[in-house]
Amino acid sequence: MKPQKLITDRTAKIIYWVATLWLSLGMVSTGIVQIAHMDEEVRKMKELGYPMYFLTIIGIWKLLGVIGILVPKFPLLKEWAYAGFFFLMTGAIFTHLAVNDSAVEYFGPTLLLLLTVISWYLRPAERKLSIRKK
């Protein structure tokens, strides 16, 4: 007797695409805001103690990561993009912790981190890096 799955393949695929599209939207929108050096982002980066050029770097990383996750094939690139998003969002959360920010500041990076993990975990087999056995 086969063990019963918690969610069906169809449900997993729907959750994957919803999480991935929300993740992509969040990363693109914040990436554009960071590349454009919008006033609120500049103010926050100064409060956090980061140099302003860091905004451009992380904004570009986010846009490239979204391309990597959404483009078909290239599973190794997807793994790197997910890892990058994971590092960016955990870094953001720990930075907010370090400067003792209010709870509201954690919402965005925590949501994007959660979406990153869900998207990575539920990605279809053709989007996973397969290890070939000899």
Side-chain angles (χ1 to χ4, degrees), residues 2-63:
K2 287 170 81 174
Q4 191 173 7
K5 290 183 177 182
L6 291 176
I7 59 174
T8 66
D9 289 340
R10 184 175 188 270
T11 302
K13 195 171 193 172
I14 291 169
I15 295 170
Y16 162 77
W17 278 110
V18 169
T20 302
L21 291 174
W22 275 101
L23 172 64
S24 299
L25 179 63
M27 290 296 182
V28 166
S29 62
T30 57
I32 290 170
V33 164
Q34 289 162 338
I35 291 169
H37 287 228
M38 293 185 74
D39 291 340
E40 186 176 331
E41 287 293 307
V42 169
R43 181 188 54 76
K44 192 64 188 174
M45 289 301 269
K46 286 180 181 175
E47 284 177 19
L48 296 173
Y50 288 111
M52 290 309 103
Y53 67 82
F54 196 57
L55 277 173
T56 305
I57 292 170
I58 61 176
I60 291 170
W61 284 347
K62 287 178 178 182
L63 297 179

